[in-house]
Amino acid sequence: MATTAARRFGRRLVPSVSRRRFSSSAAGDALQRTQNHPSLNLCSAINQALHIALDTDPRSYVFGEDVSFGGVFRCTLGLADQFGKARVFNTPLCEQGIVGFGIGLAAMGNRAVAEIQFADYIFPAFDQIVNEAAKFRYRSGNQFNCGGLTIRAPYGAVGHGGHYHSQSPEAFFCHVPGIKVVIPRSPSQAKGLLLSCIRDPNPIVFFEPKWLYRLAVEEVPEHDYMLPLSEAEVIREGVDITLVGWGAQLSIMEEACLDAEKDGISCELIDLKTLLPWDKETVEASVRKTGRLLISHEAPVTGGFGAEISASIVERCFLRLEAPVARICGLDTPFPLVFEPFYLPTKNKILDAIKSTVNY
Amino acid sequence: MALSRAASSPSHGGLLKPLAAAISASFRRPISTDATPITVETSVPFTAHNCEAPSRTVETTAQELVGFFRIMALMRRMEIAADSLYKAKLIRGFCHLYDGQEAVAIGMEAAITKKDSIITAYRDHCTFLGRGGTLLEVFSELMGRQAGCSKGKGGSMHFYRKEAGFYGGHGIVGAQIPLGIGLAFAQKYKKDESVSFALYGDGAANQGQLFEALNMAALWDLPAILVCENNHYGMGTAEWRAAKSPAYYKRGDYVPGLKVDGMDALAVKQACKFAKEHALKNGPIILEMDTYRYHGHSMSDPGSTYRTRDEISGVRQERDPIERIRKLLLSLDLATEKELKDTEKEVRKEVDDAIAQAKESPMPDPSELFSNVYVKGYGAESFGADRKEVRAVLP
Ligand SMILES: Cc1ncc(C[n+]2csc(CCOP(=O)(O)OP(=O)(O)O)c2C)c(N)n1
Ligand SMILES: [Mg+2]
C-alpha cells in the first residue's frame, strides 16, 4: 500500500499541496497561490521529481529512448549530465526489451524508472507489464517482485496528434491486478505523485498528460514531497452532481463546472489520480451527497475506466441515484486525425450531460 | 549495335565518371525515349553476407536515367513543399520527410513490378509516389482532404495504394516487418513469381519483431526482402549508440544480406533485382541501404542537434542521389544542363499545381469519423445523437 511505502521512505507531505490546488487549465490560470514557490510547467515538475528520485536514492535509474538527451518532451533534460550515463541512459528502440529489462533491474532491489516515448508505443511492452511485472510477486509467493519499477508514458490528445500520438490506453492496464495506474492533473500533482510512484513498492504505470507539459504552469514546492496514491481528491465542492475524471480531462471538466454554475448547477469535481486501485470511498461519499454521477475520459467509452466506476457506484449507491450515470468520453473509433474535435469529450458535451443528468 | 559504356571511378570513390568519350549529339535525340542499353559501374562495391555479391556493372538506358532524374527531382520538391505546408499549419499531425533517401524508392521500383508488394513505416510519401501515386493524392492526404490516398483519414504516416501492392505506411516502429512476411507467404502460395519488400529503419532494426520475422521468413523460405533503410539515425540516436553491430545486412545471421550504396539509384536497382531473384529461389534476404535523410526526423526536429552541419552538407555535396544522376547524364552527354534545369522547373510547377488542386479538395464528410471501423453492414454500427452507442448486427 501507498501509505506503507510513504512511511518507509519518510513521507513529507506538504499540506499546502494536497487540497484544492487545482490549476492545469489550458490557459494556465494557476489557482494555486502559495508563498513564493517557483512556477513550473508539468514537464519541469516531472524533471524535478526525477532529479530528486535520483538524488535521494543511489539505486535509482532513469532510461528509455533518447532519455539521456532529454527525451522528445525534454522531461529528462540535464539528468544524464548530473547523475552520469550509468544511471540515466538511452535504450535502443525496443519497448518490450525496455520494460523487461526494467523488471529485472527492479527485481534486484533497484528503482527502475523506464520511459516509454508515447503511451501509444507501450503496447509492444504490454506482455511484459501484464504477465511479468504484475504477477511476479504473486506467482513467486512473495519471493520476488519488481516493485521498484515505474513506467512513465505521455498520453492523450495534443490537438493534432493523429492515430499514434494521442491515445489514452489507461483502461487496458486497469484490468491488471498487481500494477498501479496513476495519472496527474497538474505540475505540483505530477511531482508529488511521481515521487510516490517511484518509491512505492509496486510496479506502476504513470501516464503523463502531454498536452499539459508546457501549458499547465503553477507553483511547485521545491523540496522533496510525496502525494498519497489511491486517494482521490475533491478539487471543487458542489451539491447537485459529482464529476469524476483524471489527468488533462479535469481542466475541461472544470470549465464545464464553471459554466454549469452560471446556470445554477453546483458541481462537485473529483480527481481520481490513482485509477488502480482506486478510491471508491471518496467517490461514493460524494455521490451519496449529490445523487448524480458523470465520468469523463478521452479514451473510447466502451470498456473505458468510466464503465468500472459507473458499475461500482451503481452497486454502492443504487437507491441514492437520481439519474443514470453519465459517461462523456471518447467515441468508439480509433483516435482520428482530422476529426479530433468531434471525437473528444469537449466542454459542451460535458455541460449538456450535466444539465440532462440534473434535469433527469 | 548495343552502345555499351562502362563508367566508373572506383579509386576516387566519387561520382561516376564515364570512360567513354562524349558521344555526339546526333546519337542521343530524343533523350527521354532512348532505350539503347548503357552499362554503368557503381562507385561503391556491394558487401555481401552469406551470398555472392552481384556485379557492379549495371545496365541502364538514357530513358531510365532521365526518368530517375525527373522523379527524384519531383520527390525532392514535394518533400520541401510539404515542409512549407507544415510550417503554414496546413498539414497537421506528425510528418516525416524522405528527402535524401529518394534513390532507395526509385531504384527499388526500377527492379520490380507492381505485382510485388511493398510495406514500409511512416516515412512513406516517396515510396507511395514510386508506386504510381499522384501528387494530388499526396498533398490531399497530407492536408486531410477527401482526394487523399487514404481519403484524408490517414495523414502523412498512412499512405496506401492497394492497386499497386503498396501496403503502406505504418506508425509503430517495426510493426510492419512481420506483416511483410505474411504478404510474402501469401505470394508464395500464389506462385506468381512476386515478392514482398518490407522496409524498416536502422532504429527499427533493434525491435524484436524483426528477428521474429526473419526466423519465420527463413524457416518457410518466403520470398521476402527485408530492406533496412539505414539513414544512420533513429530520431536523435546515432546507429552506433543503439546497435551493438550496425552492420544491419549481417544481422539476419542465417539470412543472407547485402550492403548497398543507397544514394546510388543504379546500385539500389541492381541489388533489388538480385534480391528478387534470390528470394524467389532461396527465401529471404536483407538489403541494407546506406542512405541519409536531410530533414530532421519529423517536423519538430531541426535535425542539427545530434549531427553536425558539416556532416549534412558533406553528404549533400558528395553523395546526393539526384546530383549523382545529373552528373552521369551530363558526363555521358545524355542531357544538357538546360534540359535538366527545365525538368526541375517543370516539377516545381507540377508540385505547385497539385497543392493548389489539393487545397480545393473538401475535408472528409463528418460521417467518415465512424466509417471503416468495421466492415459496413457487418458487425458493429455506431448510432445515437453523438454515435456514442455501438450496436452489433449479424450480416
Ligand atoms: C514502437 C514505437 N516506438 C517508438 C516510436 C517513436 N518513433 C517513431 S520513429 C522513431 C525512430 C525510428 O528510427 P528508424 O527506424 O531509424 O527510422 P527513420 O525515422 O530513420 O526512417 C521512433 C523512436 C514509434 N513510432 N513506435
Ligand atoms: Mg533511421
Side-chain angles (χ1 to χ4, degrees):
Chain A
M1 276 302 294
T3 41
T4 332
R7 230 172 277 129
R8 217 175 74 206
F9 294 102
R11 167 162 77 171
R12 275 181 274 161
L13 235 182
V14 211
S16 67
V17 205
S18 57
R19 282 273 144 190
R20 290 193 300 283
R21 298 253 162 257
F22 176 52
S23 86
S24 79
S25 85
D29 56 331
L31 298 178
Q32 177 170 353
R33 316 238 187 285
T34 353
Q35 342 62 294
N36 47 37
H37 288 308
S39 279
L40 290 187
N41 64 25
L42 199 142
C43 178
S44 308
I46 297 281
N47 184 274
Q48 217 176 68
L50 292 171
H51 196 283
I52 292 170
L54 287 161
D55 204 29
T56 52
D57 188 345
R59 297 211 295 173
S60 49
Y61 301 85
V62 171
F63 51 91
E65 291 159 21
D66 284 359
V67 155
S68 79
F69 309 139
V72 289
F73 292 103
R74 323 308 291 152
C75 290
T76 53
L77 204 66
L79 297 177
D81 289 341
Q82 180 134 13
F83 298 99
K85 294 212 180 305
R87 293 181 63 205
V88 180
F89 48 91
N90 289 341
T91 62
L93 207 179
C94 51
E95 288 76 9
Q96 185 175 18
I98 293 171
V99 172
F101 165 86
I103 295 170
L105 184 61
M108 297 282 274
N110 300 295
R111 306 212 174 279
V113 185
E115 176 177 300
I116 297 294
Q117 197 172 69
F118 280 82
D120 308 67
Y121 311 144
I122 205 167
F123 298 109
F126 198 54
D127 174 64
Q128 286 291 346
I129 297 170
V130 173
N131 285 326
E132 300 304 323
K135 304 173 178 48
F136 206 2
R137 186 187 299 278
Y138 189 82
R139 68 171 132 79
S140 68
N142 207 25
Q143 291 180 77
F144 286 110
N145 72 79
C146 57
L149 176 67
T150 303
I151 301 164
R152 298 175 41 239
Y155 85 97
V158 285
H160 61 105
H163 314 77
Y164 295 118
H165 295 91
S166 309
Q167 297 177 82
S168 298
E170 70 273 6
F172 291 105
F173 300 92
C174 291
H175 199 54
V176 188
I179 56 173
K180 294 188 178 183
V181 178
V182 178
I183 307 182
R185 68 169 185 272
S186 73
S188 64
Q189 289 287 315
K191 180 177 170 185
L193 288 172
L194 181 55
L195 278 167
S196 296
C197 288
I198 292 171
R199 293 161 178 177
D200 186 279
N202 296 288
I204 297 185
V205 184
F206 186 79
F207 288 115
E208 298 168 5
K210 61 177 175 285
W211 203 335
L212 304 184
Y213 273 147
R214 316 260 155 214
L215 281 179
V217 179
E218 70 180 351
E219 291 182 9
V220 179
E222 270 183 299
H223 62 271
D224 183 351
Y225 65 90
M226 298 197 285
L227 296 174
L229 302 184
S230 292
E231 261 182 42
E233 181 184 339
V234 178
I235 53 179
R236 184 191 166 87
E237 286 181 19
V239 292
D240 297 325
I241 182 169
T242 301
L243 276 67
V244 177
W246 49 87
Q249 188 59 11
L250 285 166
S251 60
I252 313 286
M253 297 169 81
E254 179 165 68
E255 286 172 28
C257 292
L258 291 171
D259 281 11
E261 197 169 36
K262 290 179 200 143
D263 287 336
I265 302 172
S266 157
C267 303
E268 181 145 305
L269 182 57
I270 297 179
D271 177 4
L272 204 56
K273 300 192 207 183
T274 302
L275 277 67
L276 190 70
W278 64 288
D279 179 0
K280 290 185 186 136
E281 289 68 29
T282 299
V283 178
E284 180 185 346
S286 173
V287 175
R288 285 200 180 281
K289 181 174 73 175
T290 63
R292 298 176 187 90
L293 175 62
L294 180 152
I295 306 143
S296 181
H297 54 67
E298 277 180 25
V301 62
T302 299
F305 197 63
E308 177 59 34
I309 298 173
S310 171
S312 303
I313 293 303
V314 169
E315 279 166 13
R316 290 171 172 232
C317 310
F318 182 64
L319 292 174
R320 185 61 194 89
L321 283 171
E322 316 228 6
V325 176
R327 286 180 292 154
I328 305 303
C329 305
L331 304 180
D332 284 331
T333 70
F335 198 100
L337 177 65
V338 288
F339 294 121
E340 181 168 328
F342 298 152
Y343 169 91
L344 287 177
T346 53
K347 180 192 78 177
N348 286 341
K349 289 185 193 173
I350 297 169
L351 186 61
D352 283 352
I354 290 175
K355 289 181 185 165
S356 58
T357 304
V358 170
N359 299 322
Y360 184 77
Chain B
M1 184 195 75
L3 176 63
S4 184
R5 282 164 297 171
S8 77
S9 58
S11 51
H12 303 298
L15 287 172
L16 298 157
K17 222 193 285 163
L19 294 179
I23 191 163
S24 75
S26 58
F27 259 82
R28 62 172 180 82
R29 297 291 155 196
I31 52 160
S32 55
T33 53
D34 189 345
T36 322
I38 309 170
T39 56
V40 175
E41 194 155 310
T42 65
S43 57
V44 180
F46 300 103
T47 320
H49 165 70
N50 274 351
C51 66
E52 197 71 46
S55 156
R56 288 171 66 181
T57 311
V58 189
E59 195 169 285
T60 181
T61 64
Q63 190 184 3
E64 181 174 73
L65 292 174
V66 169
F68 280 179
F69 182 83
R70 184 168 216 294
I71 182 135
M72 283 200 287
L74 187 72
M75 289 171 171
R76 179 73 54 93
R77 186 67 214 155
M78 176 179 88
E79 294 297 63
I80 288 165
D83 184 335
S84 311
L85 290 171
Y86 195 93
K87 288 178 178 143
K89 290 198 168 9
L90 283 160
I91 298 175
R92 308 311 309 272
F94 283 66
C95 182
H96 309 80
L97 303 178
Y98 197 72
D99 50 323
Q101 302 183 207
E102 297 93 344
V104 178
I106 62 144
M108 183 169 66
E109 287 296 347
I112 64 177
T113 76
K114 302 287 185 285
K115 268 196 339 199
D116 298 309
S117 342
I118 299 182
I119 190 164
T120 186
Y122 42 82
R123 204 177 295 285
D124 58 357
H125 309 165
C126 295
T127 318
F128 171 77
L129 211 63
R131 290 264 91 179
T134 66
L135 287 172
L136 175 63
E137 290 172 296
V138 169
F139 287 114
S140 303
E141 191 57 44
L142 287 173
M143 294 191 281
R145 310 299 173 106
Q146 279 182 17
C149 53
S150 307
K151 299 191 199 142
K153 293 173 78 169
S156 164
M157 307 206 297
H158 308 289
F159 284 17
Y160 303 88
R161 189 170 162 83
K162 191 176 180 196
E163 65 271 34
F166 183 43
Y167 287 80
H170 294 253
I172 301 302
V173 170
Q176 76 280 9
I177 312 170
L179 271 64
I181 302 309
L183 299 176
F185 187 89
Q187 281 166 326
K188 190 171 168 129
Y189 258 86
K190 281 207 281 186
K191 294 198 171 74
D192 64 354
E193 301 286 294
S194 63
V195 300
S196 163
F197 284 74
L199 280 68
Y200 58 96
D202 48 296
N206 300 314
Q207 284 279 20
Q209 302 212 44
L210 168 62
F211 300 91
E212 300 178 21
L214 276 168
N215 184 41
M216 286 191 283
L219 196 60
W220 302 323
D221 292 330
L222 304 182
I225 293 126
L226 294 105
V227 182
C228 177
E229 286 188 89
N230 182 5
N231 57 16
H232 305 279
Y233 297 91
M235 282 191 160
T237 305
E239 55 178 356
W240 58 270
R241 288 182 193 272
K244 179 68 186 171
S245 159
Y248 299 99
Y249 68 106
K250 287 188 192 166
R251 284 175 61 172
D253 182 13
Y254 44 83
V255 174
L258 203 62
K259 184 168 176 177
V260 183
D261 178 3
M263 303 299 266
D264 178 352
L266 291 172
V268 173
K269 176 179 117 170
Q270 183 84 332
C272 290
K273 192 164 154 273
F274 168 82
K276 181 172 173 177
E277 283 160 17
H278 173 97
L280 285 170
K281 245 193 323 211
N282 312 309
I285 178 166
I286 296 179
L287 298 180
E288 177 186 345
M289 302 291 181
D290 179 358
T291 183
Y292 202 80
R293 72 165 149 72
Y294 292 150
H295 262 93
H297 167 74
S298 70
M299 301 312 299
S300 53
D301 167 23
S304 51
T305 51
Y306 46 85
R307 53 184 192 179
T308 62
R309 298 215 177 268
D310 284 353
E311 179 183 302
I312 306 169
S313 60
V315 176
R316 277 190 189 276
Q317 275 160 27
E318 294 181 14
R319 297 183 61 211
D320 186 84
I322 303 181
E323 292 314 307
R324 181 189 294 271
I325 299 295
R326 188 201 304 274
K327 286 191 185 141
L328 189 61
L329 283 167
L330 292 176
S331 62
L332 294 177
D333 203 21
L334 296 171
T336 63
E337 301 247 20
K338 176 162 186 321
E339 284 165 336
L340 299 180
K341 283 252 153 22
D342 287 348
T343 303
E344 286 173 310
K345 257 187 235 153
E346 279 161 36
V347 303
R348 226 184 158 93
K349 179 160 182 331
E350 261 181 68
V351 166
D352 291 346
D353 290 350
I355 293 173
Q357 224 184 324
K359 285 180 180 165
E360 298 297 308
S361 176
M363 303 274 283
D365 188 84
S367 66
E368 290 283 353
L369 173 53
F370 307 100
S371 63
N372 313 131
V373 180
Y374 297 103
V375 179
K376 200 171 176 182
Y378 270 78
E381 197 180 310
S382 304
F383 72 105
D386 59 359
R387 311 270 178 142
K388 209 176 79 175
E389 289 165 66
V390 175
R391 169 172 50 200
V393 280
L394 287 174

